[in-house]
Amino acid sequence: MLPEHGRPASELLAELSALRAGDLPVRGGRVTAYVYDTGRPEVHDAAHRAYAEMIEVNMLDPTAFPSMVALEKQVVGAAAELLGRPGAPGIFTSGGTESIMLAVKAARDTRPGTGRVVLPVTAHPAFHKAAHYLGMETVPVPVDAGTFRASVPAVAEAIDERTALVVASAPAYPQGVVDPVTEIAGLAASRGVPCHVDACVGGWLLPWLREAGAAIPPFDLGVPGVTSISCDLHKFGYAPKGASVLLFRDAELRRAAYFASAAWPGYTIINATVQSSRSAGPLGGAWATLQSLGREGYLELGRRTLEATRRLVAGIGGIPGLRVLGEPDASLVAIAGSPEIDVFVLADEARRLGWFLQPQLSYAGIPANLHITVTGVTLAGVDAMLEVIASAAGTARLRGPAAVPEGLPELIASIDLDTIDDETFAGLAASVGIDLRGAGQPAMATVNAVLDALPAPVREAVLVRFLSVMYG
Ligand SMILES: Cc1ncc(COP(=O)(O)O)c(C=O)c1O
């Protein structure tokens, strides 16, 4: 793998470009999750150059590289201004998961003797991950079956003396709806508990949608009782990956997110984030994206995003057998099928036509669906997207639902996956026609249908196996 002699950059870049030919495209709006495109290449180009300029700066030691302190203050300051509390203290992190991890740690460390996180079932799994890593527990509460917003009475019931933190999402990713933040934060405050708003996907989106005319409920640090909020710049900030901001109501709570160690004979450790050595590239990229777009640029993207979302939602309403789940506040749209149209089959067909629609499994009474994150670039292709969805829905209707091999879910659920090796697991998948090691795209409809038929803990065990087999 490691060449004996160094290779020229041109050859390396050619190899990367050949490898990337098999990837989903990151620009152009045909991939409706994971990537965020402004449709303005010059903005992304500025970000790339700033990223490269900062790439070798190590954020491990702010005294060594004051440039990164100056940039972080600007980026955090811009987020605090946008999110209801100018001057609020914050931390620039590598992404939503790290912001959430630090928010949960700060709550834990300021509330000794607690250790539980109360969260709606629609909250991002990053909270389960944080609780898992931090030795805490999660207490999931239901959402309303029609609106998919967190049930306030259920949150009230779940809070007790062991609660370290209450969570609301703005919006929750699965259906794009904003939880009742005012009620939940007020409730938390009345019980003396901190409240984190997960605005990872909405923090840099909802304010622009509101300014563009959408009815967005209050959700930010201006809401009484909200003690911290996460906002990812690598989502609707359109920054390169590795960029999120976590804001706190006050500096005391932020200090509880920090970590210092002098318990060794080496250099002094003072970390604001989970990572210790880390590149300032993402910070440079995020800063440049904000500066390159400015308020005007983001508002225009917000307008386009809002119009595309409205057209998409109206268009889906006109396709027989499909429906949008709930009424999304943000530009995240979940499309459910019907007995005649299996959304997993629809997704495979759309993929064949060059579009990626993200499958979401059924959970907590919410049906399986396809997720579309509408971004600034979507508007230009929204009619084409609707045509593809309508055509793929027609094909899915003709094909019928993906067949789950008889008895397979029961068989998988009955196996102790810890006792078999990766070879056996791959063989089991192959025996029902799922080639995990083959080149190219497996028939995901079958994979998703099988996963959908399993209880969540078994899904998790299978997913871990899947990853292990994939990396060989
Ligand atoms: C609401 C919400 N919170 C947290 C996250 C996690 O963010 P990341 O993937 O940057 O860790 C996401 C990702 O989509 C999200 O939508």
Side-chain angles (χ1 to χ4, degrees):
M1 293 284 196
L2 184 65
E4 187 57 35
H5 304 290
R7 300 164 61 196
S10 57
E11 197 181 306
L12 304 182
L13 289 170
E15 187 169 332
L16 289 180
S17 140
L19 278 172
R20 286 200 53 206
D23 289 356
L24 291 170
V26 297
R27 299 265 175 93
R30 284 176 169 227
V31 174
T32 66
Y34 312 129
V35 292
Y36 296 76
D37 182 11
T38 59
R40 291 179 52 183
E42 78 284 3
V43 171
H44 300 285
D45 190 46
H48 288 193
R49 288 160 68 185
Y51 194 113
E53 175 67 30
M54 297 301 290
I55 203 165
E56 290 178 47
V57 169
N58 188 349
M59 294 184 78
L60 176 65
D61 184 350
T63 64
F65 304 105
S67 63
M68 74 176 216
V69 180
L71 288 186
E72 177 158 339
K73 280 183 166 175
Q74 283 193 43
V75 169
V76 167
E81 231 168 57
L82 192 67
L83 294 173
R85 204 168 170 90
I91 302 175
F92 180 84
T93 79
S94 64
T97 299
E98 191 174 32
S99 287
I100 286 167
M101 188 84 68
L102 294 172
V104 174
K105 168 180 152 28
R108 184 196 67 175
D109 291 359
T110 46
R111 292 181 56 72
T114 58
R116 290 188 166 183
V117 181
V118 170
L119 76 178
V121 292
T122 47
H124 194 276
F127 291 98
H128 299 287
K129 187 174 182 179
H132 181 73
Y133 281 25
L134 292 165
M136 299 168 75
E137 269 177 64
T138 51
V139 183
V141 297
V143 297
D144 181 275
T147 66
F148 304 102
R149 294 190 173 87
S151 153
V152 178
V155 174
E157 206 176 304
I159 298 176
D160 65 17
E161 67 290 346
R162 292 162 298 181
T163 308
L165 182 68
V166 173
V167 173
S169 306
Y173 185 87
Q175 285 81 34
V177 297
V178 177
D179 284 328
V181 173
T182 305
E183 289 81 353
I184 292 175
L187 195 59
S190 73
R191 310 278 282 272
V193 177
C195 173
H196 179 79
V197 172
D198 178 6
C200 281
V201 73
W204 210 271
L205 169 70
L206 297 173
W208 312 113
L209 294 184
R210 181 186 281 146
E211 216 170 314
I216 303 293
F219 72 93
D220 62 15
L221 268 181
V223 175
V226 174
T227 50
S228 55
I229 187 166
S230 44
C231 165
D232 294 355
L233 299 177
H234 66 201
K235 295 191 170 77
F236 281 98
Y238 296 98
K241 290 286 180 267
S244 172
V245 171
L246 170 61
L247 296 173
F248 300 91
R249 178 154 285 260
D250 55 45
E252 187 188 348
L253 193 56
R254 181 175 64 176
R255 281 197 297 277
Y258 288 167
F259 176 82
S261 180
W264 77 322
Y267 62 86
T268 311
I269 291 275
I270 168 62
N271 294 156
T273 61
V274 176
Q275 296 177 12
S276 205
S277 280
R278 60 187 166 124
S279 168
L283 175 61
W287 173 83
T289 313
L290 299 188
Q291 297 295 318
S292 176
L293 279 162
R295 273 192 55 82
E296 197 185 13
Y298 281 112
L299 180 54
E300 182 52 26
L301 286 167
R303 284 201 191 99
R304 295 174 70 79
T305 303
L306 184 61
E307 191 187 333
T309 308
R310 287 179 173 159
R311 280 169 57 181
L312 178 66
V313 168
I316 295 298
I319 302 176
L322 297 184
R323 71 194 159 100
V324 170
L325 293 178
E327 291 178 22
D329 296 304
S331 63
L332 287 79
V333 179
I335 303 169
S338 50
E340 318 82 68
I341 298 184
D342 179 335
V343 286
F344 300 143
V345 176
L346 192 164
D348 276 3
E349 179 58 16
R351 181 90 185 251
R352 208 183 55 75
L353 298 171
W355 291 70
F356 176 83
L357 311 175
Q358 188 180 46
Q360 300 193 125
L361 304 180
S362 61
Y363 186 72
I366 301 172
N369 59 83
L370 299 178
H371 180 105
I372 294 180
T373 296
V374 174
T375 69
V377 82
T378 308
L379 185 61
V382 72
D383 294 332
M385 183 190 285
L386 280 164
E387 273 170 32
V388 164
I389 294 173
S391 149
T395 309
R397 186 186 288 276
L398 287 176
R399 287 222 188 114
V404 176
E406 176 90 28
L408 183 64
E410 295 74 14
L411 174 68
I412 296 174
S414 70
I415 298 174
D416 180 358
L417 286 173
D418 288 335
T419 64
I420 64 172
D421 59 18
D422 286 356
E423 272 312 313
T424 314
F425 181 78
L428 181 69
S431 72
V432 294
I434 299 170
D435 183 4
L436 297 178
R437 290 199 162 127
Q441 178 68 14
M444 288 306 293
T446 311
V447 175
N448 285 319
V450 171
L451 285 173
D452 204 63
L454 297 169
V458 183
R459 286 179 188 171
E460 288 162 359
V462 169
L463 290 168
V464 167
R465 262 324 160 99
F466 179 76
L467 201 59
S468 179
V469 170
M470 195 171 164
Y471 280 89

